[in-house]
Amino acid sequence: MGGLQEKWARFKDRLTGTRYPASDVAPLSATEVRAALLAINGPDTPFRVRNALPAEKADLVAEWQVLEPAWGSGLSRRQVELTFRTRMRLDPAKHEVRVCDELREVTRAGNPPGRVVSRRRGRGPRIHKVSWRGHYERGLDGQKHKVETFRFDSRDMRDPLQKIVLGSGWTWRGVLSKV
């Protein structure tokens, strides 16, 4: 029976994106983990980690707000606002950080964009969003090359946060609902 429970636990960990630290890493205190996560803020970091508000039901929130380049013209012009959040609750007793990702997209139309034409929202342990704008140009070598003008990948926020948590000897545990 233990084998079935182990398989279920591994499946649930894969589903939620749970990651465990290396066994040789001694866990830091909750204060040190919080300080390390807050220290990620800087001029080159496109997102911010802050203390959570009481209504957010978390200890820390990492937030990245992006305004995609507009496309189209006149009334059909569109622009997407993205807000990607990772809410984190520290559990010192278990040495784990429980995380829940949230993505909000608002598409506006017009010139300037103002009228909301669509809204989308998602929440869960492993929200992944990639947005890319660019074109192809023929290079000096005669081959076509991709020229990137805009790029957003939610892993660019999650991966550094996860690296800090795992490097601190804590577990990164994705949760299916609110943290």
Side-chain angles (χ1 to χ4, degrees):
M1 193 69 171
L4 185 60
Q5 287 175 342
E6 271 184 45
K7 286 181 183 180
W8 172 250
R10 282 196 309 265
F11 173 73
K12 197 166 97 175
D13 285 349
R14 277 190 25 195
L15 181 69
T16 60
T18 299
R19 301 284 182 267
Y20 296 95
S23 58
D24 61 340
V25 179
L28 300 178
S29 70
T31 306
E32 291 170 311
V33 174
R34 176 188 290 272
L37 288 167
L38 289 169
I40 200 169
N41 294 329
D44 297 333
T45 308
F47 58 89
R48 294 288 170 253
V49 178
R50 60 177 171 75
N51 288 313
L53 302 172
E56 291 174 311
K57 298 179 182 169
D59 295 320
L60 296 171
V61 174
E63 186 172 55
W64 192 355
Q65 295 180 336
V66 177
L67 189 61
E68 289 187 4
W71 72 95
S73 61
L75 293 176
S76 66
R77 181 181 170 161
R78 300 283 192 263
Q79 191 165 27
V80 177
E81 300 170 18
L82 295 170
T83 302
F84 184 70
R85 274 190 199 107
T86 298
R87 291 180 306 173
M88 298 172 275
R89 181 169 302 262
L90 282 64
D91 185 348
K94 295 182 179 178
H95 292 109
E96 69 180 24
V97 177
R98 291 193 297 271
V99 296
C100 186
D101 295 333
E102 185 178 301
L103 177 68
R104 293 181 186 201
E105 292 182 34
V106 177
T107 304
R108 299 185 183 276
N111 192 6
R115 180 173 43 97
V116 174
V117 293
S118 75
R119 294 178 193 265
R120 292 191 338 171
R121 182 177 152 166
R123 180 185 304 156
R126 293 177 50 175
I127 300 288
H128 184 194
K129 171 72 176 176
V130 176
S131 183
W132 179 86
R133 296 279 188 279
H135 58 278
Y136 290 91
E137 287 183 356
R138 194 167 300 280
L140 297 174
D141 59 358
Q143 300 291 318
K144 283 187 178 182
H145 297 277
K146 183 168 49 171
V147 178
E148 193 172 86
T149 57
F150 171 80
R151 182 179 161 299
F152 170 82
D153 188 339
S154 59
R155 289 177 296 197
D156 292 341
M157 183 173 89
R158 183 183 307 112
D159 291 351
L161 297 172
Q162 196 175 75
K163 184 177 178 184
I164 288 171
V165 169
L166 297 177
S168 300
W170 284 47
T171 299
W172 176 273
R173 183 168 309 282
V175 294
L176 296 173
S177 61
K178 293 183 179 183
V179 182

